[in-house]
Amino acid sequence: MIRVLIVDDDPMVAKINKRYLEAVPGFVCAGIAEGVDSAIDMLNSTEIHLVLLDVYMPGKRGLELLKRMRNEQKDIDVIIISAASNIETIQSALHFGVVDYLIKPFEFGRFRDSLKKYKKKFELLHGHEKFSQEELDKLLKGNGQTPRLEDIPKGLTKTTLRKIVKTILRNKDATFSIERLANEIGISRVSMGKYLNFLTEIKFLDVEADYETKGRPARKYRLSKQNTEAIYVYIEAADL
């Protein structure tokens, strides 16, 4: 059985995650910790294979526990389960080698699929002393299948989309116009309009009318911080 530690300061959420966890064959909840310090005590005293870790907790944040685990070279995997959807937190988690990142609220099916995928990798790692190249490729690629990103609209390129999204994330608190961003990226206003229309449609951006301009109101755009993760269906978080 894969022994799991749930780290979440909300007892109700931890209870729900425990129920979800034990509905997936092959997993058992070995403990629940309400904060980083109690989680460290459990990791030092109990055999744990996987941690389901929240980021936002009173006192020490979940990423502090993750960093400490990596510094101490603990052979324990981590899946983040958190409402934190900002790019800085996601990038930090990925850099520390989390095996998956679930953004609250999530559906049970997504949670189940994450655990099933982890279970396959866990069994492969613990069932071999040596790997052939084919077996290793299977492990690294998630059983030979990498997640397929959604296609972006015809006429747009992912290279330009990445540049635009990176620029927006870098200035996440600012409003901007089509003209301003087009000049910064180096593409035409018409082309930029197509990209911003797409980003607005997927709710990555909010749009509002600027009535301070003369004549027809200009459109102003701003990052929708509630839907930052919407872009990850089209672009890998690690690419940003």
Side-chain angles (χ1 to χ4, degrees):
M1 296 287 279
I2 298 173
R3 296 174 57 82
V4 182
L5 173 64
I6 297 172
V7 184
D8 197 303
D9 68 298
D10 188 326
M12 183 61 69
V13 172
K15 186 176 180 180
I16 292 172
N17 288 344
K18 181 177 184 291
R19 187 167 70 245
Y20 278 178
L21 173 72
E22 294 182 340
V24 182
F27 293 85
V28 61
C29 179
I32 295 176
E34 295 185 359
V36 171
D37 292 335
S38 57
I40 291 171
D41 290 340
M42 291 186 187
L43 291 174
N44 289 333
S45 61
T46 307
E47 181 184 14
I48 300 294
H49 303 119
L50 175 67
V51 175
L52 303 183
L53 178 63
D54 191 10
V55 171
Y56 293 145
M57 291 182 290
K60 297 177 182 176
R61 289 163 54 89
L63 290 182
E64 293 183 51
L65 173 62
L66 181 55
K67 182 178 181 180
R68 177 164 176 171
M69 290 170 61
R70 296 301 175 247
N71 288 340
E72 295 179 0
Q73 298 183 337
K74 290 187 179 295
D75 187 19
I76 300 170
D77 294 311
V78 175
I79 294 176
I80 297 289
I81 299 180
S82 178
S85 61
N86 61 84
I87 188 64
E88 293 88 352
T89 299
I90 292 172
Q91 283 184 324
S92 294
L94 293 175
H95 290 160
F96 283 125
V98 298
V99 298
D100 204 353
Y101 197 119
L102 277 65
I103 298 174
K104 297 177 181 177
F106 56 87
E107 296 181 354
F108 172 69
R110 175 66 176 84
F111 179 83
R112 179 195 59 217
D113 291 345
S114 178
L115 291 185
K116 283 185 174 180
K117 183 177 179 181
Y118 175 77
K119 184 171 180 283
K120 288 180 180 179
K121 288 189 175 184
F122 183 88
E123 291 172 343
L124 280 170
L125 281 171
H126 289 78
H128 291 72
E129 292 185 2
K130 291 170 56 177
F131 281 92
S132 66
Q133 186 64 59
E134 182 179 356
E135 289 169 330
L136 183 57
D137 289 344
K138 184 178 180 181
L139 172 66
L140 294 175
K141 295 179 181 179
N143 299 316
Q145 296 180 351
T146 54
R148 184 181 183 278
L149 296 174
E150 293 289 335
D151 293 328
I152 62 176
K154 188 176 180 180
L156 308 186
T157 71
K158 287 198 174 181
T159 299
T160 302
L161 182 61
R162 288 190 191 98
K163 289 180 181 179
I164 293 170
V165 171
K166 282 183 178 181
T167 301
I168 293 170
L169 291 172
R170 194 165 57 241
N171 303 283
K172 59 185 178 181
D173 294 322
T175 58
F176 57 89
S177 64
I178 290 178
E179 291 84 357
R180 174 185 160 189
L181 197 56
N183 290 334
E184 189 167 350
I185 299 298
I187 62 176
S188 72
R189 182 188 183 284
V190 172
S191 294
M192 179 58 71
K194 294 178 181 178
Y195 284 95
L196 296 188
N197 284 341
F198 166 64
L199 292 173
T200 302
E201 287 174 5
I202 66 171
K203 302 187 185 305
F204 179 75
L205 293 179
D206 292 328
V207 61
E208 59 189 41
D210 181 3
Y211 293 99
E212 294 183 4
T213 58
K214 294 180 180 180
R216 186 177 180 180
R219 303 183 88 190
K220 292 288 188 179
Y221 298 85
R222 182 191 295 272
L223 174 68
S224 175
K225 295 181 181 178
Q226 300 300 316
N227 292 297
T228 307
E229 70 276 8
I231 196 61
Y232 302 140
V233 178
Y234 305 90
I235 302 175
E236 293 280 6
D239 292 337
L240 298 176

